[in-house]
Each structure stands twice: as structure tokens, then as C-alpha cells.
Amino acid sequence: MPENSYSGSSDYLQGADLRFDRRVVAPLILLVLIGLGFRVWQLGAIGFAEDEVNKVNAVRAYEQGDITANAEHPMLMKIFMFASVKIARGVKGEGRYSDELMFRLPNVIFGALTVIPLFLLTTAFFDRWTGLLAAGFWSVGVNAITLNRVGKEDTLLVFFMLFACYFYLRAKQTDTRETKVRNRNYLLSGISFGLMMASKYFPHYLGLNSL
């Protein structure tokens, strides 16, 4: 066994590609759809919270060419909000959907998709069925759903952080002779960590990879 491989590594970590089968793909798709349904239901029924108002004001400023609003937080989530609002207006026209719905929709989508990196990382440490169980808890978990239905940066932070940790782990578990594969996974981990930083300024989370 390669020096940097763990005896518990699954097929998902061997080689350059992830090999999914229907027993995994179908439940993951179902969990994403279930999670999306719970998160999007009556999404626009509740008004903006105080911190969300700051994001709304920032997006309004972006429309005027001012990107300095709410500068204490990174721009990535607000860019997604900006795109969501613009697409909704372009497709259905002004006033077709509530602002609460369109501003929160990007987080809802990323929140539902978080089952994927969570499954991958959990599978890397345990096995695919444990990974599916963890993904299921996230899909229907009340705390996760509640957080993902609010226009705050934490949803994107978690999504990209999980991918950053997963690709770093894949690189460490790859045979040291597979330089190309290791470097590619390190690169993907770095990109994911960069997107995490573009979501919320939590640089100390890089230490999780060392652990």
C-alpha cells in the first residue's frame, strides 16, 4: 500500500476519477431534490432579517456600479444574489417573484447541493453508506434547512470548505508516484478554499486540512 494511503480508502479515492454507480447516484439526486424542496417551500413568506437587508442594499448598490457596499463581507454570495435577481427580472419581468425569494434562492440551491461534498468527505473517512446517511441528515436537518433559507454567507462557506477538505484528503491518499493526480487534487482543494474565502473571511479554516 502507498505510504500516503489509508487502509480504509474506498473506490471513490482510487485513481483520478470518481466511480459512482446507480446505488449511489439515485439516492444522492433524491436527497438533493428533497433538500431543495424543503428549503424553497414558502421561501419568500418571511421578510428580510436585519443582516439580509445589508445584502439587499449591497446588491442594489451593485446595480448602480458601486461595489463598496457591505465590504466587510466578500462579494461571492452577493454576486449570486445579483445574478438571481437579474435573471428573474429578465425571464418573468419586474415584480413576478418576491425579492425575498430571489435573494435567498442561491443559498437554497447551494444548501441542497451540499449533500454532495458531504457525502464525498464522509465516504472518504468511512464508507459510502455512512456518506449517504450523513447526506440524508443534511438534506432534511432542521438546522441546516433553516440556515440555508437565510441570505447569509455561511451556506457557501460550508459548501466550498467541504470540497476543499475532500480534495486535500484525496491528494494525501493518492500514491506519491501519481504526481499529476496529487497535484490536480491539491489544485482543486486550493480553488475550493479560495472560493470559501470569497464567501466568508475565515482563513483559519485552512487549518482543518492539516488536521
Side-chain angles (χ1 to χ4, degrees):
M1 179 176 294
E3 181 180 352
N4 287 325
S5 294
Y6 299 148
S7 59
S9 297
S10 69
D11 290 342
Y12 297 96
L13 298 170
Q14 305 302 320
D17 300 319
L18 299 178
R19 296 194 288 274
F20 290 112
D21 57 41
R22 278 185 237 173
R23 292 177 300 171
V24 171
V25 173
L28 277 180
I29 293 175
L30 181 61
L31 288 175
V32 169
L33 294 177
I34 291 173
L36 185 63
F38 278 124
R39 286 159 173 79
V40 80
W41 178 255
Q42 295 293 309
L43 186 60
I46 301 176
F48 289 119
E50 179 182 357
D51 196 42
E52 288 182 299
V53 173
N54 295 328
K55 308 303 184 294
V56 173
N57 292 335
V59 172
R60 301 300 188 211
Y62 291 177
E63 293 178 324
Q64 305 301 318
D66 177 13
I67 61 173
T68 62
N70 196 232
E72 64 271 22
H73 295 292
M75 293 179 62
L76 186 59
M77 187 191 70
K78 288 170 284 190
I79 291 174
F80 286 136
M81 289 178 167
F82 177 85
S84 175
V85 171
K86 287 294 184 183
I87 292 172
R89 290 176 181 173
V91 172
K92 294 295 185 180
E94 186 78 32
R96 173 64 172 160
Y97 298 113
S98 69
D99 284 344
E100 288 83 357
L101 172 64
M102 298 318 303
F103 274 90
R104 292 166 176 161
L105 188 59
N107 269 10
V108 162
I109 294 173
F110 276 97
L113 291 174
T114 299
V115 301
I116 297 174
L118 182 59
F119 164 77
L120 292 172
L121 186 60
T122 306
T123 298
F125 284 115
F126 301 99
D127 54 61
R128 69 180 66 178
W129 306 119
T130 306
L132 285 173
L133 184 63
F137 283 139
W138 179 270
S139 178
V140 301
V142 174
N143 288 338
I145 293 172
T146 301
L147 178 65
N148 298 155
R149 286 169 56 88
V150 179
K152 293 178 66 68
E153 295 85 358
D154 303 82
T155 293
L156 292 182
L157 168 77
V158 171
F159 180 82
F160 291 117
M161 181 193 70
L162 290 174
F163 265 125
C165 292
Y166 169 69
F167 284 118
Y168 187 86
L169 180 62
R170 284 199 70 198
K172 297 297 287 185
Q173 292 181 328
T174 301
D175 192 329
T176 55
R177 294 167 293 184
E178 298 288 340
T179 305
K180 185 176 180 180
V181 176
R182 284 169 60 86
N183 289 342
R184 182 174 65 184
N185 285 319
Y186 280 133
L187 176 62
L188 290 172
S189 179
I191 292 172
S192 299
F193 181 74
L195 290 170
M196 190 206 84
M197 284 291 295
S199 304
K200 191 167 186 174
Y201 295 133
F202 270 29
H204 53 286
Y205 274 29
L206 178 61
L208 291 175
N209 280 342
S210 300
L211 294 176

